[in-house]
């Protein structure tokens, strides 16, 4: 019993020394590797994909101001779009727009693009594109 308690204390101490964000990026890398290897073999593991999406969004929620958070939200949005859930992608682009000033232009443009080309909602697409042109007239995507 003392041995088990000693091991648990060591494990807890080591876990405290290993930053959670780093732990999560390693977990995400492992999940990505599995999902992409499965895709190369033409296998779709729905549970694996959902675990990866959950890991992306959890990381972003727990580390909201890190560059990795924006990267993971973009990846999650792309996955949702590929899974036929474009509105979930738009919601994540909106989250990027609201929380990452350096990524605002692309996130806003992509909302318009998804509304136009994947949702078929031209009214919302036009609103997003007009907002984009107003806020970012000199952005390369504005041409």
């Amino acid at each position: 019993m003392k041995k088990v308690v000693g091991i648990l204390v060591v494990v807890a101490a080591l876990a405290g020394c290993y930053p959670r964000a780093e732990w999560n990026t390693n977990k995400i890398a492992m999940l990505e590797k599995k999902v992409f290897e499965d895709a190369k073999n033409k296998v779709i593991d729905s549970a694996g994909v959902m675990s990866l999406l959950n890991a992306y969004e959890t990381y972003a929620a727990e580390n909201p101001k890190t560059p990795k958070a924006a990267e993971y939200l973009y990846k999650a949005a792309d996955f949702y779009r590929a899974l036929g859930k474009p509105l979930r992608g738009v919601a994540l682009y909106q989250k990027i727009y609201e929380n990452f000033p350096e990524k605002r232009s692309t996130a806003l443009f992509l909302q318009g693009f998804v509304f136009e080309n994947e949702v078929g909602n031209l009214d919302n697409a036009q609103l997003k594109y007009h907002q984009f042109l107003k806020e970012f007239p000199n952005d390369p995507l504005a041409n």
Side-chain angles (χ1 to χ4, degrees):
M1 182 69 174
K2 286 182 183 181
K3 221 179 220 183
V4 172
V5 171
I7 291 171
L8 290 175
V9 169
V10 170
V11 169
L14 289 175
C17 294
Y18 200 60
R20 184 160 170 80
E22 187 176 334
W23 171 258
N24 285 338
T25 57
N26 291 336
K27 176 183 174 185
I28 288 170
M30 289 179 357
L31 289 168
E32 285 177 332
K33 182 178 178 184
K34 175 150 180 18
V35 166
F36 292 124
E37 283 176 1
D38 287 348
K40 284 181 190 174
N41 295 322
K42 299 187 182 345
V43 174
I44 303 297
D45 174 13
S46 298
V49 171
M50 295 313 294
S51 291
L52 177 58
L53 290 171
N54 185 26
Y56 284 150
E57 293 186 69
T58 299
Y59 180 93
E62 291 177 354
N63 306 281
K65 297 300 178 189
T66 64
K68 278 279 191 207
E71 175 188 337
Y72 289 156
L73 288 174
Y74 270 121
K75 287 181 176 186
D78 290 345
F79 264 105
Y80 280 116
R81 290 172 55 204
L83 292 170
K85 298 179 180 183
L87 291 177
R88 184 69 185 125
V90 168
L92 293 177
Y93 293 138
Q94 181 63 31
K95 191 177 280 192
I96 295 166
Y97 174 83
E98 292 169 355
N99 294 306
F100 301 94
E102 70 284 2
K103 308 282 186 192
R104 288 175 64 107
S105 65
T106 302
L108 184 57
F109 180 86
L110 285 171
Q111 289 178 64
F113 180 87
V114 172
F115 275 125
E116 177 184 9
N117 296 291
E118 296 172 26
V119 177
N121 185 329
L122 298 181
D123 291 336
N124 275 348
Q126 188 175 35
L127 287 172
K128 293 298 181 178
Y129 285 143
H130 282 295
Q131 182 182 354
F132 171 79
L133 290 172
K134 183 178 178 183
E135 290 184 34
F136 309 102
N138 298 320
D139 191 275
L141 293 171
N143 293 323

